Amino acid sequence: MSDVVDQGEGRVLVFLHGAGVDTAMWAPQAAAFSSRYRVIVPLLPGHGNSPAVDSVEEMAKHVRALLKARGVSRYAVIGLSLGGMVALEMAARWPEEVTHLAMIEAVPNVTDNRLALAVTHTMLGLLRVVPPKLLAKLPARHLGAESPAAAQYLRQALPCMTARNNCRVLRIALAYDGRPHLPMISMPTLVMVGEKNKATHARARAMAQQIEHSRFIIVPGAGHIANLDKPQLINDALQHLLAGEG
């Protein structure tokens, strides 16, 4: 696992992975886009050798500092799940830097229901003592994978996390609320959800409706790990966005 993938030349595309996985999640996109763009895929804090932080906001600052250190001041940002939250935060904080925004299987907040929050926090407490290698043995669909490629990737990536960091990054996602940012997002934006993961549809669609220059797409046959379930569909949609056709 690399702490930062940085390959290709041209306009910069920043890809941000989801919770509990790593930079290799974006391998199909890095391969497809690095012939025309400079593709940067940073490891988010709390994963691998990247030190943990306490919020999505701190994750966004971490990614921006990494980009600045590499001389990058203008970029498109694409994030999946937790990475989508970080992408939203970056677009809201630094709109003069972010040219395009894409959020895949991401929502601006997880839930407002107090009972659901309490139950989820209890479940996360239990997750803290469950070795990630056991999570990797769950049926692929329970992990959000609808394709053999996504399932294989998760079985390789999940055991690389620690139970403590899994719990920590998921709590960070649960605490985030990016809804106040939505009316201020001004760059071309793409919101995508996997057809098979109905849990994200309503909040993602509502998010897209509050962003002025946005498009909402349901990716046929895809689950939560949509970029691996249907890489070509995701790549085509991203290319349309980057070409100004979104």
Side-chain angles (χ1 to χ4, degrees), residues 126-140:
L126 296 174
L127 187 62
R128 188 170 182 171
V129 298
V130 177
K133 65 182 180 181
L134 292 184
L135 294 178
K137 295 183 181 297
L138 290 172

Side-chain angles (χ1 to χ4, degrees), residues 103-120:
M103 294 173 283
I104 305 168
E105 274 293 301
V107 294
N109 75 307
V110 176
T111 182
D112 295 315
N113 186 293
R114 292 186 178 181
L115 177 59
L117 282 171
V119 170
T120 305

Side-chain angles (χ1 to χ4, degrees), residues 6 28 41 68 87 98 102 105 108 126 143 185 209 211 241:
D6 188 344
V41 191
K68 289 291 184 183
V98 177
E105 274 293 301
L126 296 174
L143 301 172
I185 300 298
Q209 290 171 345
I211 298 173
L241 173 72

Side-chain angles (χ1 to χ4, degrees), residues 186-207:
S186 58
M187 67 286 297
T189 299
L190 181 60
V191 177
M192 290 185 278
V193 294
E195 177 193 12
K196 301 294 186 179
N197 186 30
K198 306 294 186 183
T200 58
H201 289 198
R203 285 181 182 267
R205 187 187 294 274
M207 175 170 67

Side-chain angles (χ1 to χ4, degrees), residues 202-226:
R203 285 181 182 267
R205 187 187 294 274
M207 175 170 67
Q209 290 171 345
Q210 293 182 64
I211 298 173
E212 184 176 2
H213 303 290
S214 69
R215 185 183 182 197
F216 178 77
I217 295 177
I218 298 176
V219 183
H224 189 57
I225 315 300

Side-chain angles (χ1 to χ4, degrees), residues 9-107:
E9 296 181 355
R11 292 160 55 193
V12 176
L13 308 184
V14 179
F15 288 88
L16 304 176
H17 63 79
V21 290
D22 58 27
T23 60
M25 189 195 83
W26 292 110
Q29 286 67 46
F33 286 98
S34 59
S35 61
R36 293 164 287 169
Y37 300 89
R38 181 180 177 187
V39 172
I40 299 178
V41 191
L43 194 65
L44 289 177
H47 298 77
N49 297 319
S50 186
V53 294
D54 295 323
S55 67
V56 166
E57 292 82 355
E58 290 299 316
M59 285 188 171
K61 292 177 183 177
H62 172 91
V63 173
R64 184 177 185 246
L66 181 148
L67 295 174
K68 289 291 184 183
R70 290 170 181 262
V72 175
S73 59
R74 292 276 287 172
Y75 48 92
V77 62
I78 301 103
L80 185 142
S81 194
L82 172 63
M85 291 178 166
V86 179
L88 173 61
E89 188 67 24
M90 294 179 71
R93 283 177 175 257
W94 305 291
E96 71 284 357
E97 298 180 9
V98 177
T99 63
H100 300 76
L101 170 64
M103 294 173 283
I104 305 168
E105 274 293 301
V107 294

